[in-house]
Amino acid sequence: MIFQMDSIGDIIRKKREEKGMLLRQLAAMVEVDSAILSKIERGERKARREQIINIAKALELDEKRMLIEFLSENIAYEIIDEDSATDVLRVAESKVKYFRKNK
Amino acid sequence: MIFQMDSIGDIIRKKREEKGMLLRQLAAMVEVDSAILSKIERGERKARREQIINIAKALELDEKRMLIEFLSENIAYEIIDEDSATDVLRVAESKVKYFRKNK
DNA sequence: CATACATTTGACAAATAATGTCAAGAATGA
DNA sequence: TCATTCTTGACATTATTTGTCAAATGTATG
């Protein structure tokens, strides 16, 4: 594999440390408790969408990309234990297209 | 398009009517309130996984297929308003594979 | 129309899950 | 040791999901 797959928490932690910021500094900027931010970075807790956007802004990460990471990671965890995970994603794609067309 | 995309509610309702069953009859078999079953069939409410399995059994629908419909529909609704929906699904697939390998 | 029966609707309650708070514990380094 | 940062876990709060029920609506038939 030519790229390193990072979880969204990894991305945040790496960027924060690159910037030499402390947990509590970033936590203050995005108005979230340090304990929660710590858990988000280590994947122990899910972030909320708003938090991801605020973190992206504070760390100058690409918002759109982070949103994709956020949504896709949530979905991945929903189906990681399903042996039909790949089929589920294919069908989901069809359903998105179909429901959009017919809404 | 060569196939008719049905929501999971449509599938249930069609099969139930094919079998000539009343809402309350199926509801009794799967131990769910008729009002809820009515809403599930019309897509007004999400079913729970257990309910889908029980309904599939009661109606002799393929359980595996219904589970895929159930999971994929949930995912589709999660991202239907995202303009990056397709990217999200692609990234989700990578994440599933990666997280499985590294768990 | 009047009756009987099936389904739908909506308000509300109950249960469950997500999120936040806080203080104590562990780790790190000077 | 001391100061600082990060982590952990118990608990409270809030939000979301799910269930219950009765009234309203729809539908067919005498």
Side-chain angles (χ1 to χ4, degrees):
Chain A
M1 212 191 275
I2 50 171
F3 67 97
Q4 174 60 35
M5 169 79 64
D6 280 333
S7 68
I8 196 164
D10 294 334
I11 296 168
I12 294 167
R13 175 149 292 190
K14 279 185 183 170
K15 187 78 176 190
R16 175 175 65 79
E17 291 179 341
E18 244 175 70
K19 297 204 150 209
M21 291 176 71
L22 297 176
L23 253 182
R24 67 174 159 75
Q25 292 175 322
L26 179 58
M29 286 182 76
V30 301
E31 292 179 306
V32 73
D33 191 279
S34 305
I36 290 183
L37 187 53
S38 167
K39 286 169 187 169
I40 290 170
E41 286 188 348
R42 288 169 300 104
E44 192 185 318
R45 270 221 194 170
K46 273 194 203 172
R48 292 183 312 160
R49 171 190 280 250
E50 265 309 306
Q51 291 169 334
I52 291 301
I53 290 169
N54 292 339
I55 289 168
K57 282 183 178 138
L59 293 178
E60 301 176 282
L61 285 161
D62 183 66
E63 273 184 53
K64 190 167 173 177
R65 184 250 178 145
M66 289 298 276
L67 211 49
I68 291 173
E69 295 287 338
F70 168 73
L71 294 166
S72 61
E73 196 159 309
N74 288 348
I75 290 172
Y77 279 118
E78 264 176 69
I79 57 172
I80 194 160
D81 293 324
E82 307 292 338
D83 54 289
S84 56
T86 303
D87 294 334
V88 168
L89 293 174
R90 298 269 143 72
V91 177
E93 186 171 355
S94 303
K95 283 186 188 280
V96 167
K97 286 177 182 154
Y98 184 77
F99 291 160
R100 278 181 174 162
K101 202 181 346 178
N102 297 76
K103 89 170 176 181
Chain B
M1 207 190 279
I2 48 171
F3 68 98
Q4 174 61 34
M5 169 79 66
D6 279 333
S7 69
I8 196 164
D10 294 334
I11 295 168
I12 294 167
R13 175 149 294 191
K14 279 185 184 170
K15 186 78 175 189
R16 175 175 66 76
E17 291 180 339
E18 244 175 71
K19 296 202 151 210
M21 289 176 72
L22 298 177
L23 253 182
R24 67 175 160 75
Q25 292 174 323
L26 179 57
M29 284 183 77
V30 301
E31 292 178 308
V32 72
D33 192 279
S34 305
I36 290 183
L37 187 53
S38 167
K39 286 168 187 168
I40 290 170
E41 286 188 347
R42 286 170 302 104
E44 193 185 317
R45 273 222 191 167
K46 274 194 203 171
R48 292 184 311 161
R49 171 191 281 252
E50 264 309 307
Q51 291 170 335
I52 292 301
I53 291 169
N54 292 339
I55 290 168
K57 282 182 178 138
L59 293 179
E60 300 176 282
L61 285 160
D62 184 64
E63 273 185 51
K64 190 167 176 178
R65 183 250 177 142
M66 289 298 276
L67 211 48
I68 292 173
E69 296 286 338
F70 169 72
L71 294 165
S72 62
E73 196 158 308
N74 288 349
I75 290 172
Y77 279 119
E78 263 175 71
I79 57 172
I80 194 161
D81 293 325
E82 308 292 337
D83 54 291
S84 56
T86 304
D87 293 334
V88 168
L89 293 174
R90 297 270 144 70
V91 178
E93 186 171 355
S94 303
K95 283 187 187 281
V96 167
K97 285 177 183 156
Y98 184 77
F99 291 159
R100 277 181 176 165
K101 203 181 345 179
N102 297 77
K103 91 167 176 185

